Amino acid sequence: MLYLEKITIERVKNSRLPEIDFSNIPFGKIYTDHMFLADYNGGEWKNFRIVPYGYMQISPATPALHYGQSIFEGMKAIKDNAGNALVFRAHDNLNRMNISAERMCMPQIPEELFMESLRTLIDLDRNWIPTEEGSSLYIRPFMYSADEYIGIRPSENFTFQIILCPVGSYYSTPVKVKIETHYTRAVAGGTGYAKAGGNYGGAIYPAKLAQDKGYHQLVWTDGVEHKYIEESGTMNVMFVMDNTLITPALSDSILAGITRDSVLTLARHWGMKVEERKISVTELLAGLERGAVTEAFGAGTAATIAHIELIGYEGKDYHLPPVEKREFANKVYKELDAIKRATKPDPFGWITKM
Ligand SMILES: *Cc1c(COP(=O)(O)O)cnc(C)c1O
């Protein structure tokens, strides 16, 4: 209740909701009626406000535009039968946002501010949460420098903002991925573990080169030798090899995905053998050749599980078994979906009702 009574609300005059065709929502293009903003200056958060979603005024000299002083988060909510919004692991997203903030010399967001602004905004735009099978409300909190100064230094002014975006059923066709051996997403000592804007801008070009060759996305490898697997696109990557769930151990060049953690938690809960460790490209390819790699998938909020159909390396494609045969990935997808929709119990306390 620390911030709740301080949030001012300016409602839209006319909701855009009646115009939206919920049976056909493109990802990331439609936003709800309202957005939340808060300003940081003089060492504190202030001006908590919800206003109609729309264009904003920012200084042309803000370091957010020039030097990438910006961070973001991504999470999802669904609506249960009683009309409650169920938000998945919001506290974990906040923790991660604060880790990103520290790395980028930005202020921490207090838990009450994050949760209360989210609650107020979601409550106002509750009717925007799609109810169609598989659809959800994507929540995008972000923070950026609001200084007017093109020198490079820690900023003094920041804006914290939340926008909401209904998303349709993300039916993911299995993806073709290519192991990247030249470009690098993140390096030791860099910002790969933070959800910082620049990490993504720099990844678009190498991903496009792979797309021109017929792949959907890249499997990133370490920035020193390109010898060890790191992530897949903007998802964490996992393999079932010799009946063991294997994923790269976290490091400062790997983003600590909340889906990753959820999948590992469930696998351990089910008694499956789990290994978080280095996986070399050589080991993976050898595993694929001897048929020991029975599953490969990306894990992230957008799709939850993105099955990998084939893995390309230096011109050769290594195919994986058909998706129907992937017992673990299909089971974990179903279980996570049921927990998120509260059609199954939530043994790990992942759901916040709003
Ligand atoms: C956001 C992200 C992930 C997945 O994180 P989730 O919390 O599961 O959505 C993985 N890798 C990168 C690089 C990311 O930006």
Side-chain angles (χ1 to χ4, degrees):
M1 291 295 284
L2 226 48
Y3 297 86
L4 211 51
E5 63 267 27
K6 296 189 201 155
I7 302 174
T8 63
I9 299 175
E10 181 197 338
R11 286 169 189 268
V12 289
K13 293 204 175 65
N14 297 301
S15 172
R16 284 178 281 108
L17 194 53
E19 298 158 27
I20 310 299
D21 173 11
F22 276 95
S23 63
N24 180 24
I25 356 179
F27 179 85
K29 290 195 175 163
I30 292 167
Y31 295 90
T32 66
D33 282 330
H34 300 94
M35 60 185 182
F36 173 84
L37 298 101
D39 301 323
Y40 184 91
N41 56 57
E44 58 178 1
W45 288 105
K46 51 185 74 159
N47 306 334
F48 312 107
R49 59 199 188 277
I50 288 174
V51 298
Y53 173 89
Y55 287 11
M56 315 164 311
Q57 283 205 315
I58 51 168
S59 162
T62 175
L65 293 176
H66 298 269
Y67 311 125
Q69 284 196 39
S70 72
I71 59 173
F72 67 96
E73 270 303 324
M75 57 188 168
K76 276 183 175 175
I78 63 100
K79 197 187 262 181
D80 70 7
N81 292 334
N84 299 301
L86 308 178
V87 187
F88 188 66
R89 304 194 68 172
H91 290 91
D92 297 294
N93 283 91
L94 168 65
N95 287 341
R96 187 170 67 194
M97 190 159 188
N98 280 333
I99 290 169
S100 301
E102 182 176 17
R103 179 64 179 81
M104 297 302 289
C105 261
M106 293 180 165
Q108 297 289 294
I109 298 173
E111 179 166 340
E112 296 80 4
L113 171 57
F114 189 82
M115 298 306 289
E116 290 172 20
S117 54
L118 188 59
R119 193 178 284 278
T120 312
L121 182 63
I122 284 185
D123 190 41
L124 201 60
D125 285 344
R126 186 174 301 276
N127 293 337
W128 283 84
I129 308 175
T131 48
E132 282 72 12
E133 167 100 40
S135 58
S136 58
L137 187 75
Y138 183 78
I139 303 165
R140 170 55 64 96
F142 55 113
M143 193 208 302
Y144 50 91
S145 165
D147 271 12
E148 185 161 38
Y149 180 62
I150 54 166
I152 298 181
R153 59 154 199 211
S155 294
E156 290 162 0
N157 304 282
F158 297 89
T159 304
F160 166 52
Q161 205 164 337
I162 307 175
I163 55 177
L164 307 173
C165 166
V167 291
S169 160
Y170 190 107
Y171 174 72
S172 50
T173 45
V175 288
K176 300 180 167 79
V177 300
K178 173 180 166 281
I179 296 176
E180 178 58 62
T181 51
H182 176 71
Y183 294 99
T184 299
R185 188 193 88 89
V187 289
T191 56
Y193 69 96
K195 259 180 139 65
N199 293 344
Y200 304 84
I204 294 169
Y205 178 68
K208 186 177 175 300
L209 295 179
Q211 281 153 15
D212 291 345
K213 290 192 172 155
Y215 297 95
H216 296 98
Q217 57 185 242
L218 291 172
V219 170
W220 298 105
T221 49
D222 73 276
V224 180
E225 302 173 279
H226 298 293
K227 226 170 110 180
Y228 295 97
I229 304 287
E230 298 231 312
E231 300 203 49
S232 174
T234 57
M235 302 178 101
N236 295 110
V237 66
M238 301 192 170
F239 306 95
V240 177
M241 179 152 71
D242 296 317
N243 299 312
T244 302
L245 179 65
I246 308 174
T247 193
L250 293 177
S251 71
D252 56 3
S253 58
I254 294 181
L255 199 288
I258 290 162
T259 314
R260 174 187 184 278
D261 183 73
S262 306
V263 170
L264 295 179
T265 301
L266 284 174
R268 288 183 171 121
H269 183 68
W270 291 332
M272 187 170 185
K273 198 171 166 213
V274 174
E275 290 175 4
E276 295 177 68
R277 60 168 173 84
K278 283 194 171 198
I279 307 163
S280 71
V281 174
T282 317
E283 179 192 358
L284 177 67
L285 298 182
L288 284 159
E289 290 210 301
R290 65 186 169 90
V293 183
T294 47
E295 306 189 25
F297 58 92
T301 294
T304 308
I305 299 291
H307 298 286
I308 293 173
E309 178 188 332
L310 63 83
I311 301 175
Y313 182 70
E314 294 185 337
K316 183 169 173 202
D317 289 340
Y318 298 76
H319 291 260
L320 279 115
V323 167
E324 314 83 76
K325 292 201 173 153
R326 306 198 190 175
E327 214 177 298
F328 174 73
N330 288 321
K331 179 177 169 193
V332 85
Y333 176 85
K334 273 206 193 113
E335 185 74 12
L336 274 173
D337 193 62
I339 294 174
K340 289 177 187 176
R341 294 181 182 279
T343 56
K344 273 205 174 176
D346 169 27
F348 309 104
W350 285 339
I351 301 296
T352 307
K353 208 183 263 189
M354 295 194 167

